[in-house]
Short mmCIF file of all heavy atoms in Angstrom, two decimals:
data_model
loop_
_atom_site.label_atom_id
_atom_site.label_comp_id
_atom_site.label_asym_id
_atom_site.label_seq_id
_atom_site.Cartn_x
_atom_site.Cartn_y
_atom_site.Cartn_z
N LYS A 1468 89.60 105.31 111.74
CA LYS A 1468 89.26 106.72 111.33
C LYS A 1468 88.66 106.74 109.96
O LYS A 1468 89.05 105.98 109.05
CB LYS A 1468 90.50 107.63 111.24
CG LYS A 1468 91.22 107.84 112.59
CD LYS A 1468 92.26 108.81 112.44
CE LYS A 1468 93.15 109.08 113.69
NZ LYS A 1468 94.04 107.95 114.02
N GLU A 1469 87.59 107.57 109.78
CA GLU A 1469 86.95 107.79 108.54
C GLU A 1469 87.08 109.20 108.14
O GLU A 1469 86.60 110.13 108.81
CB GLU A 1469 85.47 107.35 108.56
CG GLU A 1469 84.71 107.47 107.25
CD GLU A 1469 83.31 106.93 107.22
OE1 GLU A 1469 82.98 106.12 108.09
OE2 GLU A 1469 82.56 107.35 106.39
N LEU A 1470 87.81 109.47 107.10
CA LEU A 1470 88.18 110.81 106.61
C LEU A 1470 87.41 111.07 105.39
O LEU A 1470 87.78 110.61 104.25
CB LEU A 1470 89.67 110.94 106.36
CG LEU A 1470 90.64 110.50 107.63
CD1 LEU A 1470 92.07 110.61 107.18
CD2 LEU A 1470 90.39 111.36 108.83
N PRO A 1471 86.38 111.95 105.41
CA PRO A 1471 85.63 112.40 104.24
C PRO A 1471 86.58 113.05 103.30
O PRO A 1471 87.41 113.84 103.68
CB PRO A 1471 84.50 113.21 104.77
CG PRO A 1471 84.41 112.80 106.13
CD PRO A 1471 85.79 112.58 106.70
N CYS A 1472 86.43 112.86 101.97
CA CYS A 1472 87.25 113.54 101.03
C CYS A 1472 86.62 113.64 99.67
O CYS A 1472 85.72 112.87 99.31
CB CYS A 1472 88.67 112.89 100.90
SG CYS A 1472 88.63 111.23 100.41
N ASP A 1473 87.14 114.54 98.82
CA ASP A 1473 86.63 114.60 97.40
C ASP A 1473 87.68 114.05 96.47
O ASP A 1473 87.41 113.89 95.30
CB ASP A 1473 86.44 116.12 97.10
CG ASP A 1473 85.46 116.72 98.06
OD1 ASP A 1473 84.26 116.18 98.07
OD2 ASP A 1473 85.79 117.69 98.74
N MET A 1474 88.91 113.83 96.99
CA MET A 1474 90.04 113.25 96.12
C MET A 1474 91.12 112.81 97.02
O MET A 1474 91.26 113.12 98.18
CB MET A 1474 90.56 114.31 95.06
CG MET A 1474 91.09 115.47 95.60
SD MET A 1474 91.71 116.63 94.35
CE MET A 1474 93.16 115.73 93.76
N VAL A 1475 91.93 111.83 96.51
CA VAL A 1475 93.10 111.29 97.22
C VAL A 1475 94.27 111.35 96.33
O VAL A 1475 94.21 111.17 95.04
CB VAL A 1475 92.80 109.84 97.52
CG1 VAL A 1475 93.99 109.11 98.10
CG2 VAL A 1475 91.67 109.71 98.53
N VAL A 1476 95.46 111.68 96.94
CA VAL A 1476 96.75 111.63 96.23
C VAL A 1476 97.63 110.66 97.09
O VAL A 1476 97.79 110.79 98.20
CB VAL A 1476 97.41 112.96 96.08
CG1 VAL A 1476 98.74 112.85 95.41
CG2 VAL A 1476 96.50 113.93 95.42
N ILE A 1477 98.15 109.72 96.35
CA ILE A 1477 98.94 108.64 97.04
C ILE A 1477 100.48 108.79 96.73
O ILE A 1477 100.72 108.90 95.57
CB ILE A 1477 98.48 107.17 96.62
CG1 ILE A 1477 97.06 106.93 97.01
CG2 ILE A 1477 99.40 106.16 97.23
CD1 ILE A 1477 96.48 105.63 96.55
N GLY A 1478 101.19 108.99 97.76
CA GLY A 1478 102.79 108.95 97.65
C GLY A 1478 103.30 107.84 98.47
O GLY A 1478 103.79 108.03 99.61
N ALA A 1479 103.31 106.68 97.85
CA ALA A 1479 103.79 105.43 98.54
C ALA A 1479 105.19 105.00 98.07
O ALA A 1479 105.54 103.81 98.24
CB ALA A 1479 102.81 104.31 98.31
N GLY A 1480 105.94 105.87 97.45
CA GLY A 1480 107.29 105.61 96.98
C GLY A 1480 107.28 105.06 95.63
O GLY A 1480 106.20 104.99 94.89
N VAL A 1481 108.45 104.68 95.16
CA VAL A 1481 108.71 104.19 93.82
C VAL A 1481 109.53 102.94 93.79
O VAL A 1481 110.23 102.58 94.90
CB VAL A 1481 109.34 105.23 92.90
CG1 VAL A 1481 108.46 106.47 92.72
CG2 VAL A 1481 110.73 105.61 93.35
N THR A 1482 109.53 102.14 92.69
CA THR A 1482 110.40 100.96 92.58
C THR A 1482 111.21 101.24 91.25
O THR A 1482 110.76 101.71 90.29
CB THR A 1482 109.60 99.71 92.49
OG1 THR A 1482 108.62 99.84 91.37
CG2 THR A 1482 108.82 99.43 93.79
N PRO A 1483 112.50 100.97 91.36
CA PRO A 1483 113.35 101.13 90.16
C PRO A 1483 112.91 100.30 88.95
O PRO A 1483 112.52 99.14 89.20
CB PRO A 1483 114.79 100.73 90.60
CG PRO A 1483 114.55 99.83 91.84
CD PRO A 1483 113.32 100.29 92.47
N ASP A 1484 112.82 100.81 87.78
CA ASP A 1484 112.36 100.10 86.65
C ASP A 1484 113.56 99.36 85.91
O ASP A 1484 114.22 99.91 85.13
CB ASP A 1484 111.71 101.03 85.66
CG ASP A 1484 111.09 100.28 84.47
OD1 ASP A 1484 111.23 99.09 84.44
OD2 ASP A 1484 110.54 100.99 83.61
N VAL A 1485 113.89 98.18 86.50
CA VAL A 1485 115.00 97.42 86.04
C VAL A 1485 114.59 96.31 85.08
O VAL A 1485 115.41 95.40 84.75
CB VAL A 1485 115.91 96.90 87.05
CG1 VAL A 1485 116.53 98.05 87.92
CG2 VAL A 1485 115.12 96.04 88.08
N SER A 1486 113.39 96.32 84.60
CA SER A 1486 112.90 95.17 83.84
C SER A 1486 113.73 94.90 82.50
O SER A 1486 114.13 93.85 82.22
CB SER A 1486 111.44 95.28 83.45
OG SER A 1486 111.22 96.66 82.85
N LEU A 1487 114.08 96.09 81.85
CA LEU A 1487 114.80 96.03 80.60
C LEU A 1487 116.16 95.51 80.96
O LEU A 1487 116.81 94.66 80.19
CB LEU A 1487 114.87 97.35 79.98
CG LEU A 1487 115.65 97.41 78.60
CD1 LEU A 1487 114.99 96.56 77.55
CD2 LEU A 1487 115.76 98.89 78.11
N ALA A 1488 116.93 96.04 81.96
CA ALA A 1488 118.15 95.63 82.42
C ALA A 1488 118.29 94.20 82.73
O ALA A 1488 119.23 93.50 82.32
CB ALA A 1488 118.59 96.53 83.56
N LYS A 1489 117.23 93.71 83.48
CA LYS A 1489 117.25 92.24 83.86
C LYS A 1489 117.10 91.39 82.72
O LYS A 1489 117.83 90.37 82.49
CB LYS A 1489 116.05 92.01 84.80
CG LYS A 1489 116.24 92.41 86.26
CD LYS A 1489 115.07 92.00 87.12
CE LYS A 1489 115.34 92.22 88.58
NZ LYS A 1489 114.12 91.85 89.39
N ALA A 1490 116.17 91.72 81.70
CA ALA A 1490 115.93 90.94 80.53
C ALA A 1490 117.23 90.89 79.64
O ALA A 1490 117.49 89.91 79.05
CB ALA A 1490 114.78 91.45 79.80
N ALA A 1491 118.04 92.01 79.67
CA ALA A 1491 119.18 92.00 78.94
C ALA A 1491 120.47 91.31 79.54
O ALA A 1491 121.45 91.21 79.00
CB ALA A 1491 119.66 93.45 78.61
#
């Protein structure tokens, strides 16, 4: 499918930001 558009919004989820916790 080709969907013409003027803009895109992506909602692909999130990942927990545990970088500080891991490093600690």
Side-chain angles (χ1 to χ4, degrees):
K1468 294 186 181 76
E1469 183 172 338
L1470 305 176
C1472 61
D1473 305 302
M1474 61 180 288
V1475 170
V1476 180
I1477 299 174
V1481 298
T1482 55
D1484 185 358
V1485 295
S1486 56
L1487 181 65
K1489 280 184 176 180

